[in-house]
Amino acid sequence: PTRRSSDLLTCPAKDDQHKSWGELTGSRKEIDKRNKVIIEKYRNGVSVNELANEYCLSIYAIRKIIYQN
């Protein structure tokens, strides 16, 4: 017999079992680490434009990282 998508049963994970974006691959940790370096460089006098060029990010993205807290 042919299966239809309506034949499949999916059970969503419980809220406390759900992983945030990047948790399984470690991407979140890498981005957080990069962002800390960007903030530190900015505090040490590196301009937003220089950081944007160095990290291939927009000026808007760099500002979001710097002013996130």
Side-chain angles (χ1 to χ4, degrees), residues 20-23 25-35:
S20 296
W21 179 90
E23 278 189 63
T25 63
S27 297
R28 178 82 271 156
K29 285 183 182 179
E30 289 298 316
I31 290 173
D32 289 343
K33 194 163 95 175
R34 178 206 66 188
N35 291 352

